[in-house]
């Protein structure tokens, strides 16, 4: 699977490259600044891109803006964004681009190699991979979620991370039937129509959380 990496920190860039190659990803390009990122994405057309939000020269949002620009030219380009901190505005901007896998992970999460590689694969497959800490902070900001039970909030958090019903059932040690029931209750209480599309379901939940 072809991957483009954008990370200005040399050690982390090298670490990401080694991890992904160890799991049979083909790292076709790695860049360390914003201006070089868009041409790399356009030239190599990767199957997934792993991108630091903040890149030189200004260390603001060059990585995110290059990713969004690339998706306008390569619709559906899967992108996993890495960030040092939870920044809901950046997550919202990325999620607002239509179609294709998206992910938002904190850099500290990369140290859990299995979790990171699973996230890259999920995004490459068109799914969603959101950092649990991002979801936790978004959930804590939403007073209307008080209408949900504690278990429904747990299920919502797992949904927002991009997990399937089967994965949620395993994580929470309940049946898939119970997960489906909780999701129906959540969508009803939040006045959101059910969807058979996992990615659309997660994006809808996150759009609600960010409203």
């Amino acid at each position: 699977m072809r991957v483009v990496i954008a990370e200005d920190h040399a050690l982390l860039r090298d670490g990401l490259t080694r991890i992904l190659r160890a799991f049979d990803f083909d790292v076709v390009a790695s860049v360390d600044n914003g201006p070089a990122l868009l041409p790399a994405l356009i030239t190599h057309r990767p199957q997934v891109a792993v991108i630091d939000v903040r890149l030189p020269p200004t260390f603001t949002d060059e990585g995110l803006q290059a990713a969004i620009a690339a998706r306008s030219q390569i619709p559906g380009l899967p992108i996993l964004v890495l960030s040092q901190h939870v920044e809901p505005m950046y997550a919202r901007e990325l999620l607002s681009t239509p179609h294709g896998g998206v992910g938002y992970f904190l850099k500290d999460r990369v140290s859990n190699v299995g979790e990171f590689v699973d996230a890259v694969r999920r995004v490459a497959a068109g799914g969603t991979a959101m950092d649990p800490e991002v979801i936790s902070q978004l959930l804590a900001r939403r007073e209307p979620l008080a209408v949900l039970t504690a278990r429904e909030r747990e299920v919502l958090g797992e949904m927002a991370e991009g997990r399937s019903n089967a994965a949620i059932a395993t994580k929470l040690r309940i049946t898939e039937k119970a997960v489906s029931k909780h999701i129906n209750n959540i969508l009803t209480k939040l006045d959101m129509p059910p969807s058979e599309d996992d990615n659309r379901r997660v994006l809808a939940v996150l759009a609600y959380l960010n409203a």
Side-chain angles (χ1 to χ4, degrees):
M1 185 180 299
R2 299 191 313 281
V3 185
V4 165
I5 295 171
E7 167 58 51
D8 64 288
H9 193 288
L11 288 178
L12 181 54
R13 187 171 66 253
D14 182 63
L16 291 170
T17 300
R18 289 172 182 268
I19 289 171
L20 291 172
R21 283 179 173 162
F23 284 85
D24 295 327
F25 290 88
D26 180 14
V27 180
V28 293
S30 60
V31 302
D32 63 1
N33 65 84
L37 176 55
L38 182 57
L41 293 172
I42 299 299
T43 299
H44 295 285
R45 305 250 168 174
Q47 291 162 293
V48 62
V50 179
I51 295 172
D52 184 4
V53 168
R54 299 176 185 271
L55 290 171
T58 68
F59 294 98
T60 54
D61 62 353
E62 284 91 344
L64 181 70
Q65 294 308 323
I68 292 172
R71 290 189 80 160
S72 71
Q73 298 189 45
I74 311 173
L77 172 66
I79 294 170
L80 174 63
V81 164
L82 299 179
S83 180
Q84 195 69 43
H85 308 288
V86 177
E87 298 177 88
M89 182 183 71
Y90 292 154
R92 186 165 52 247
E93 276 199 62
L94 180 64
L95 292 168
S96 67
T97 62
H99 310 303
V102 293
Y104 188 106
F105 251 48
L106 297 182
K107 289 186 177 180
D108 288 346
R109 197 75 58 186
V110 175
S111 61
N112 186 327
V113 173
E115 193 172 354
F116 169 66
V117 170
D118 177 64
V120 175
R121 287 180 172 149
R122 259 193 286 159
V123 170
T128 305
M130 301 299 293
D131 192 287
E133 182 59 29
V134 176
I135 300 305
S136 175
Q137 291 198 24
L138 291 174
L139 287 172
R141 288 151 42 101
R142 292 292 295 171
E143 289 298 326
L145 297 182
V147 299
L148 303 182
T149 65
R151 176 62 88 184
E152 288 167 351
R153 288 170 67 92
E154 282 185 292
V155 171
L156 178 62
E158 297 297 326
M159 286 171 62
E161 287 180 35
R163 301 191 190 284
S164 67
N165 285 13
I168 294 172
T170 300
K171 179 81 177 291
L172 300 183
R173 298 182 179 181
I174 57 179
T175 65
E176 284 192 54
K177 185 177 179 180
V179 172
S180 295
K181 183 179 178 181
H182 286 311
I183 290 174
N184 286 336
N185 289 341
I186 291 166
L187 296 176
T188 299
K189 289 181 179 179
L190 299 184
D191 194 25
M192 298 173 65
S195 169
E196 294 299 321
D197 185 315
D198 281 346
N199 193 36
R200 287 175 61 84
R201 180 181 73 173
V202 171
L203 294 181
V205 170
L206 289 171
Y208 175 82
L209 294 173
N210 278 292

